[in-house]
Amino acid sequence: MPILAHLEFYAEAAVAIVLVFGVCVTLHEFGHFYVAKRCGVAVPVFAIGFGPKIASVVRGGTEYSLRLIPLGGFVQLAGEAPQESWFPIGQSVAFELDADGAIAALGEPRDLPGARVGVVRDVDLTDAMTMALETDAGLERFRVKDGARVMLSRRSSIPVVTKDRQMIGKPLWQRAAIILAGPIMNLILAGVLFSAVNTYTGVPTTTVGHVEPGTPAAHAGLVPGDTILSVDGRAIHSWAGLVNAVSQEGARNGHVEPLVLEVQSREGERTVVVTPHLVSGQPMIGIDAEISHNPLHTVPAGFSALIRDIAMTIQGYVGLFVHHQFQTLSGPVGIAHVITEQVRFGIWNVVAVTGALSLGLGLFNLLPIPALDGGRLLFMAIELVRGRRVDPEKEGFVHFVGFAIVMLFAVVITYRDVTHWF
């Protein structure tokens, strides 16, 4: 029986890990996808998972697929990298022509059996939409049809599209919006999940839920149901704000100070004067908060927690780079370990961890590191200042190098996590 219980637990943990990573990454990619579609950018592929396809369907020019490895997903945006980069000069390529003599399909000879074959001598798939190929008939120049298929395999292809449907053909603000949409979706998801957890557990309000007998609050006449509006003229909007106000205003130089509370009760507003007691050096008045599960309270509290955690995470990144506190980082293995531990305490703990991971993913992607969304935004900022775009090939090379460095760093962090946890 203990063995079966362990197997059941680890099966639940495995499902939780897949769902947590899958939801965070897929929603991130959906943000890019949705805004790209709204801006008129072609999106050839939207995939859930990685690796070989299990199932796929094409709708509206996009292939939606479910992949074998269910950890995340990806989206392909037309023209994010120049389409010409698919066909280096000197490469052999198979091609098929339509009735008008325009190229309708391109790919490896093995993926287009029976098609003509040529060597690429010149290609422009951004403005002119033409290719010059060295064939048996000599050097020929062809127009490339809008929507021509580029074969990834015999059964899978992506389209070549005109500049007006490529990322490169869109205004700077639209390109920036498409890139920002992924991290923003992660932050929204985090706020929603924090709010959901709050709705389940409840949040403390500024309404008195319980008054301890014999305490300053009891002597002053506070009763359950009273809502505290202000402390010494300082407006109160949350339980944390009330605690801070009592802590800051209730004592001076080790001596307690009377507090003037504006209170809303069933009979109307009234003023209550409370003189705190010092408990372990902290002023206390002896009340507990009323707990609310009302979304009108829990949702604002969830997004307030989001803003607070964003600030804390940014401070953490500052410490990471300024003070070289890299030991605080965790990779996929460390995160999976945390998720596994939270499975022991129930689904709502997993939901809370998902919110925290989504927040971290969103902010990490905004770092100005090549290959990340923040790195792409950095190049857009340079474009805004220069008044012209950085050469796409040079930008692509920088992103490639950045990606390699990020992957190397991920391997190092993963090795450290494995040796630490196992």
Side-chain angles (χ1 to χ4, degrees), residues 2-58:
I3 294 177
L4 291 177
H6 280 301
L7 290 175
E8 181 180 356
F9 168 74
Y10 284 113
E12 291 176 355
V15 171
I17 291 168
V18 168
L19 289 177
V20 169
F21 279 101
V23 166
C24 290
V25 177
T26 301
L27 264 291
H28 177 98
E29 298 301 333
F30 177 78
H32 295 313
F33 165 84
Y34 178 77
V35 177
K37 284 279 193 177
R38 297 289 293 181
C39 291
V41 173
V43 185
V45 178
F46 182 90
I48 297 177
F50 301 98
K53 284 182 288 188
I54 298 173
S56 65
V57 62
V58 178

Side-chain angles (χ1 to χ4, degrees), residues 30-252:
F30 177 78
H32 295 313
F33 165 84
Y34 178 77
V35 177
K37 284 279 193 177
R38 297 289 293 181
C39 291
V41 173
V43 185
V45 178
F46 182 90
I48 297 177
F50 301 98
K53 284 182 288 188
I54 298 173
S56 65
V57 62
V58 178
R59 293 285 187 276
T62 300
E63 180 192 77
Y64 301 89
S65 62
L66 184 65
R67 307 286 175 128
L68 182 63
I69 304 171
L71 295 175
F74 64 93
V75 63
Q76 185 181 65
L77 306 178
E80 188 173 15
Q83 294 182 143
E84 297 86 66
S85 64
W86 302 343
F87 305 102
I89 303 299
Q91 173 182 295
S92 293
V93 61
F95 63 99
E96 293 179 348
L97 305 178
D98 65 8
D100 297 322
I103 292 178
L106 291 157
E108 295 285 343
R110 67 175 180 273
D111 297 327
L112 282 174
R116 295 181 64 187
V117 177
V119 177
V120 178
R121 296 305 182 197
D122 185 45
V123 57
D124 181 352
L125 298 180
T126 299
D127 296 305
M129 293 291 285
T130 59
M131 292 186 75
L133 301 173
E134 188 79 45
T135 68
D136 292 339
L139 184 64
E140 299 182 79
R141 184 171 293 275
F142 299 95
R143 181 174 60 87
V144 180
K145 177 183 177 181
D146 182 21
R149 295 175 299 126
V150 177
M151 306 305 297
L152 304 177
S153 68
R154 289 198 179 191
R155 298 182 180 179
S156 179
S157 65
I158 57 175
V160 176
V161 299
T162 52
K163 187 175 181 179
D164 63 302
R165 294 199 291 147
Q166 297 180 36
M167 277 280 284
I168 198 172
K170 296 300 178 181
L172 179 62
W173 72 268
Q174 287 190 348
R175 285 185 276 131
I178 292 168
I179 297 302
L180 274 171
I184 288 175
M185 182 62 77
N186 280 128
L187 298 181
I188 292 173
L189 174 63
V192 169
L193 294 180
F194 292 161
S195 300
V197 172
N198 284 343
T199 303
Y200 174 74
T201 60
V203 295
T205 67
T206 57
T207 299
V208 177
H210 175 70
V211 179
E212 288 290 335
T215 60
H219 293 315
L222 286 174
V223 296
D226 286 343
T227 298
I228 299 174
L229 305 176
S230 68
V231 175
D232 284 353
R234 175 177 168 182
I236 299 299
H237 303 290
S238 66
W239 176 255
L242 174 60
V243 171
N244 288 336
V246 171
S247 177
Q248 293 172 10
E249 307 295 335
R252 296 271 192 261

Side-chain angles (χ1 to χ4, degrees), residues 334-391:
I335 295 170
H337 178 81
V338 172
I339 296 170
T340 300
E341 289 300 307
Q342 295 308 309
V343 168
R344 301 180 188 276
F345 302 105
I347 187 171
W348 289 106
N349 287 68
V350 176
V351 172
V353 168
T354 306
L357 176 61
S358 186
L359 184 152
L361 179 63
L363 292 182
F364 178 76
N365 264 282
L366 287 174
L367 292 176
I369 297 173
L372 299 182
D373 292 334
R376 300 185 188 281
L377 290 170
L378 177 61
F379 274 95
M380 292 180 189
I382 293 171
E383 178 183 346
L384 182 64
V385 173
R386 295 174 75 225
R388 66 183 188 278
R389 186 171 184 178
V390 177
D391 185 312

Side-chain angles (χ1 to χ4, degrees), residues 263-402:
V263 176
Q264 176 73 51
S265 63
R266 296 181 182 86
E267 292 75 26
E269 290 189 21
R270 71 183 194 278
T271 299
V272 175
V273 178
V274 182
T275 301
H277 285 166
L278 290 179
V279 178
S280 300
Q282 291 295 319
M284 302 287 183
I285 61 175
I287 62 172
D288 290 323
E290 181 178 274
I291 302 300
S292 173
H293 298 268
N294 188 330
L296 293 176
H297 294 132
T298 60
V299 172
F303 280 87
S304 293
L306 171 66
I307 293 170
R308 179 199 66 213
D309 289 353
I310 287 174
M312 291 175 61
T313 303
I314 292 173
Q315 290 177 355
Y317 282 143
V318 171
L320 181 71
F321 291 105
V322 173
H323 303 295
H324 308 291
Q325 298 171 341
F326 297 108
Q327 70 278 3
T328 62
L329 287 177
S330 286
V333 171
I335 295 170
H337 178 81
V338 172
I339 296 170
T340 300
E341 289 300 307
Q342 295 308 309
V343 168
R344 301 180 188 276
F345 302 105
I347 187 171
W348 289 106
N349 287 68
V350 176
V351 172
V353 168
T354 306
L357 176 61
S358 186
L359 184 152
L361 179 63
L363 292 182
F364 178 76
N365 264 282
L366 287 174
L367 292 176
I369 297 173
L372 299 182
D373 292 334
R376 300 185 188 281
L377 290 170
L378 177 61
F379 274 95
M380 292 180 189
I382 293 171
E383 178 183 346
L384 182 64
V385 173
R386 295 174 75 225
R388 66 183 188 278
R389 186 171 184 178
V390 177
D391 185 312
E393 290 189 5
K394 293 179 180 178
E395 180 180 344
F397 177 75
V398 172
H399 288 310
F400 174 78
V401 172

